[in-house]
Amino acid sequence: MTDSKMNGAESLVHTLLANGVDVCFTNPGTSEMHFVAALDHIPGMRSILALQEGVATGAADGYFRMAGKPASTLLHLGPGLANGLSNLHNAKKAGSGVVNIIGEHASTHIALDAPLTSDIEGIARPVSHWVHSSKSVATVGEDAARAVQAAMTAPGQIASLILPSDTAWNEGGVPQGAVEMPAPAPFDESALDRAAEALDGSETLLLLGGTALTEANLEVAGRIAAKTGCKLLSEWSNARMERGAGRVFIGRVPYPIDIALKVLEPFKRIVLIGARAPIGFFAYPDKPAILTREGADILTLAAADADLTAALAALSTATGADDTAPAHVVTDALPERPTGRINLDSLAALIARAIPEDGIVVDESVTSGRAFSPATKSARKHTWLNNCGGSIGYGMPAAIGAAVACPDRKVLCLTGDGSAMYTVQSLWTMAREKLDITVLIFANRSYQILRGELTNVGVQNPGPRAIDMLSLDRPALDWVQMSRSMGVSAVSVTDCEDLEAALEEGLTQSGPSLIEIVL
Amino acid sequence: MTDSKMNGAESLVHTLLANGVDVCFTNPGTSEMHFVAALDHIPGMRSILALQEGVATGAADGYFRMAGKPASTLLHLGPGLANGLSNLHNAKKAGSGVVNIIGEHASTHIALDAPLTSDIEGIARPVSHWVHSSKSVATVGEDAARAVQAAMTAPGQIASLILPSDTAWNEGGVPQGAVEMPAPAPFDESALDRAAEALDGSETLLLLGGTALTEANLEVAGRIAAKTGCKLLSEWSNARMERGAGRVFIGRVPYPIDIALKVLEPFKRIVLIGARAPIGFFAYPDKPAILTREGADILTLAAADADLTAALAALSTATGADDTAPAHVVTDALPERPTGRINLDSLAALIARAIPEDGIVVDESVTSGRAFSPATKSARKHTWLNNCGGSIGYGMPAAIGAAVACPDRKVLCLTGDGSAMYTVQSLWTMAREKLDITVLIFANRSYQILRGELTNVGVQNPGPRAIDMLSLDRPALDWVQMSRSMGVSAVSVTDCEDLEAALEEGLTQSGPSLIEIVL
């Protein structure tokens, strides 16, 4: 199909749609106006406005995790991209595919160094696997198809397509139809026998990540564990993990370094499928950065870009586990109903009780959430998303993306107050799109995790000025007013009974709500 | 001074203080904890917490403009820097000096590719004039001194110092004392005679930017205009301009391209001092990007990095204007008191009437503010700051920086609702630091400027989906609740009388306040 009357922006939208990209998270500007105009006469692209680009890119991350295909973002020049950069960092670390469309000045305008001129490729490169600037209107369609292919490269990649505005407004666009998407890399078959031999008894570990954590793949892992006696763990941060009643449970390598060292100490042999050998989140003076025991034999059967399903199936066969019943299958067992003033344990129990069947939990609970993972082990079956890049402000945007990807499922977003403030504009988009998201704000009124980190890095007895830089209590944020100001209904609770009622209401009503939990 | 018991972070803080950098806008993380700890036992660094790094970097921009020296920022790894990137872009375009201190993983940890690992230098480079990673604890002090020198290079530069956490925590820091700061470049003396000859009558223009817009330099320009009959203009965006009663008035090259072309059409000869030849903010199909008339003779007497005061003084002498009374001196004449429902004209009049003596106006009013510049011409003497990089979300952060730099002056922050949402976290920092800032939110509930830009780029009759991407009215933001949620008192007004009263209260009380003006 060619159409000499079609402009570049139109060829771009047609090509994205033909390749399954039908959601766009955006905050557009002048240089993106032809893309925006194209939305009116080309049906099929759901365009979702964000009031800051960190919301848009974080939403694209959450969308990919749940939809298994990329959304597009439409960003205004270098600064618009820059605002979305840290959540692209998170998306990159999560292996999420994203197609960024970044408007640029007309090619004749760039040399004039206008106020908004910047080195867009330079800004994009540190967070992108693929960066390309369209050279002419005729290639925009082709460039867009290549961007989707890049984004669909396993496990998922960040593709950044820079679109000079003249390539968008000129006529002569050539849209592309559906192109072939790349297959994942093969796993390392040469390592299969050694991997099968390695897993034998409780001193051996099968460490999983990425799509090894689907319901079906976890079941295979459970068979291998039952057969070989190996332990199962996932990485600390997982882009998406299927959990809950009826599924194979898998723990996570802990975040606190001393506990992680202890958990990993027993393992003399470790097989990796879609995971990397555990290292510390940070370096600390006088503590190791490699968390596995010295001399541990670590074998990568399948890296993150490989076919993890095939790797697990092959390992199951090689260990003779195909007909074994899986270990660690979780039975439905909700924690008892807590009462009284909320503490971290009762909070975890209430969340476990509240997670609805097929719920999606977006977890940016940081310090407040250390107990959530074990407590929710036997909840109704659900999907759990972690922040994989460590840059705070991922939670509410990712919840938006998950809700857009799965309109029939309820989303529970667990976030610390410090994290939530980073992309607080998310609430407005939730209200505008009437997304089924219940946001829980854990208001400990501090960057609590940093209190511990001060000690970890060797600072004993921090003084008032240091503590002041980690405190959010002067003034205290009023999350109820904050949320309502952006159109999301909200309550503040301190007691278990009130939280239970608010969760019940939030998860049954249509549209977003917010619950502030004062800790 | 050397002290083998001093760690790198301490040597950094000592060096910054010795070189006049005594304010730090920050959101620190684990890798910055030694810097934070150093604040407790090294007096003199005012450390100001921001809930998102865009607030910190925008504050550093505003601070430099008013203090004439850089603040430091303390940012957490690549993502923390990334969040502050777009306001660093604005600061760079404004010629503001900033010393960014960016924490990095310990040098041994970087190769492990932890979740927060990223290419920090790559992220910093597009917005920085100077980027350096400290190689060892012994050089941190020296590196910090060089960073301040870079930031103090005229007109002001972005210096980004990356500090691996082991260079911060190891002992062996060597603080530096006061180092010499670079002088501005000389202006182009060889062009002086031609410049003096060029300015002759109303078809000639003296176009000023940067520090050519101080009160004293504007007076010199006024003399030259009186003597030669040349016209005076400034660029559209000025980092800082002194204005109001008793000062020489200077207009701005207009933003709307058709008006700019008309205003600049008469000028056959243009002399530039601290300004660049006018170009369009954006390119538009079938419109020129160069705004000056074809064949105009454009002469740069002094570029932005030069000694603009010396250039103006020399030009005054060369034109024989030293003893001429300056033209365009403004007499005190406030507009009449408007009444009734607020419109853009009455709004401009009320602002003009409200600006207090020596007030600082931070202007991110976008479309609502087109009438402000002429209307406030004869207001009490004041300082006016524009957004120079075009990335929205500069206003409230810059107001923080200005208020910190000038605790004895009142700050009036004029901002569109769309812009304000970008760095809405600013309100909390204003409350925490009890800054004398009155924020005016122009709530037109749309990205109004883009409605016009749609037409400019050739999109006629945009449809509902395009319009929807430029609208902020579903849901409408409640700025009063928003502001109160972060501890800043607020009112919403629609009538002149209420706005007048609210401005009066905001500008006389101590601490911040917000006024939502529903347009």
Side-chain angles (χ1 to χ4, degrees), chain A residues 27 40 53 83 86 89 93 109 113 115 117 276 280 421-422 425 428 432 447 463 465-466 468 475 478 485, chain B residues 27 40 53 83 86 89 93 109 113 115 117 276 280 421-422 425 428 432 447 463 465-466 468 475 478 485:
Chain A
N27 189 288
D40 268 315
E53 290 83 354
N83 285 326
S86 59
H89 165 90
K93 297 285 181 165
H109 206 71
D113 193 24
T117 304
R276 296 191 312 145
M421 277 306 292
Y422 261 70
Q425 302 90 343
W428 184 83
R432 186 179 224 231
Y447 292 118
R465 281 192 274 178
D468 198 43
D478 181 333
S485 77
Chain B
N27 189 287
D40 268 315
E53 291 83 354
N83 285 325
S86 60
H89 165 91
K93 297 285 181 165
H109 206 68
D113 193 23
T117 303
R276 296 191 314 145
M421 277 307 293
Y422 262 69
Q425 301 90 345
W428 184 83
R432 184 178 227 232
Y447 292 118
R465 280 192 274 177
D468 198 42
D478 181 333
S485 77

Side-chain angles (χ1 to χ4, degrees), chain A residues 472-490:
Chain A
L472 305 179
D473 60 349
R474 189 167 57 79
L477 294 158
D478 181 333
W479 279 98
V480 172
Q481 285 202 82
M482 175 77 77
S483 187
R484 290 178 184 163
S485 77
M486 289 182 259
V488 174
S489 64

Side-chain angles (χ1 to χ4, degrees), chain B residues 44-397:
Chain B
M45 181 69 75
R46 181 172 178 188
S47 198
I48 295 174
L49 183 60
L51 298 187
Q52 209 263 12
E53 291 83 354
V55 179
T57 54
D61 181 4
Y63 178 89
F64 179 88
R65 299 189 197 194
M66 296 310 303
K69 64 176 190 173
S72 57
T73 68
L74 179 66
L75 309 171
H76 185 43
L77 299 159
L81 169 63
N83 285 325
L85 217 61
S86 60
N87 268 337
L88 288 174
H89 165 91
N90 285 332
K92 183 187 182 193
K93 297 285 181 165
S96 292
V98 178
V99 177
N100 296 310
I101 310 295
I102 305 143
E104 167 62 297
H105 285 306
S107 42
T108 51
H109 206 68
I110 297 172
L112 298 178
D113 193 23
L116 274 163
T117 303
S118 65
D119 174 8
I120 302 181
E121 289 192 13
I123 296 171
R125 214 165 279 121
V127 296
S128 303
H129 300 82
W130 183 93
V131 178
H132 182 75
S133 297
S134 284
K135 300 290 178 287
S136 86
V137 59
T139 65
V140 168
E142 199 179 298
D143 296 339
R146 290 200 296 135
V148 182
Q149 287 173 320
M152 285 294 286
T153 301
Q157 296 195 346
I158 311 298
S160 294
L161 176 60
I162 299 163
L163 195 67
S165 53
D166 49 349
T167 66
W169 74 50
N170 283 339
E171 290 185 347
V174 185
Q176 302 293 298
V179 295
E180 198 176 341
M181 295 302 157
F187 69 91
D188 185 1
E189 278 194 68
S190 73
L192 183 60
D193 290 344
R194 274 189 301 143
E197 269 167 45
L199 297 175
D200 177 20
S202 64
E203 290 180 340
T204 66
L205 172 65
L206 179 56
L207 185 63
L208 305 176
T211 53
L213 305 174
T214 62
E215 180 171 19
N217 283 341
L218 283 173
E219 190 172 314
V220 177
R223 291 183 202 285
I224 296 169
K227 180 73 179 187
T228 66
C230 77
K231 299 288 182 190
L232 300 179
L233 280 175
S234 74
E235 294 182 295
W236 162 249
S237 298
N238 300 294
R240 174 178 178 174
M241 190 197 284
E242 301 303 323
R243 306 177 81 234
R247 290 174 171 165
V248 169
F249 173 76
I250 184 167
R252 296 156 66 193
V253 173
Y255 174 91
I257 193 152
D258 295 324
I259 305 177
L261 287 165
K262 212 162 170 181
V263 164
L264 293 169
E265 172 60 25
F267 301 122
K268 295 179 178 167
R269 295 184 300 284
I270 301 175
V271 173
L272 305 173
I273 296 184
R276 296 191 314 145
I279 56 154
F281 206 91
F282 292 106
Y284 304 103
D286 310 320
K287 293 194 181 184
I290 308 282
L291 304 183
T292 44
R293 69 183 289 161
E294 220 182 301
D297 182 12
I298 300 176
L299 187 63
T300 302
L301 181 59
D305 64 344
D307 186 337
L308 308 186
T309 302
L312 271 163
L315 186 61
S316 170
T317 303
T319 53
D322 286 350
D323 297 324
T324 311
H328 312 304
V329 175
V330 172
T331 49
D332 193 340
L334 296 179
E336 281 188 35
R337 187 178 169 211
T339 56
R341 176 99 192 174
I342 296 168
N343 59 35
L344 291 186
D345 287 329
S346 55
L347 177 58
L350 284 166
I351 289 168
R353 291 171 59 87
I355 294 173
E357 184 82 7
D358 272 326
I360 300 167
V361 181
V362 179
D363 179 11
E364 190 169 22
S365 52
V366 200
T367 35
S368 302
R370 295 272 164 85
F372 293 171
S373 200
T376 54
K377 175 180 165 173
S378 315
R380 296 174 198 89
K381 75 186 169 73
H382 62 275
T383 303
W384 197 281
L385 314 185
N386 291 129
N387 182 352
C388 297
S391 178
I392 61 175
Y394 123 95
M396 293 204 292

Side-chain angles (χ1 to χ4, degrees), chain B residues 458-469:
Chain B
V459 176
Q460 308 299 336
N461 307 316
R465 280 192 274 177
I467 293 292
D468 198 42
M469 288 300 105

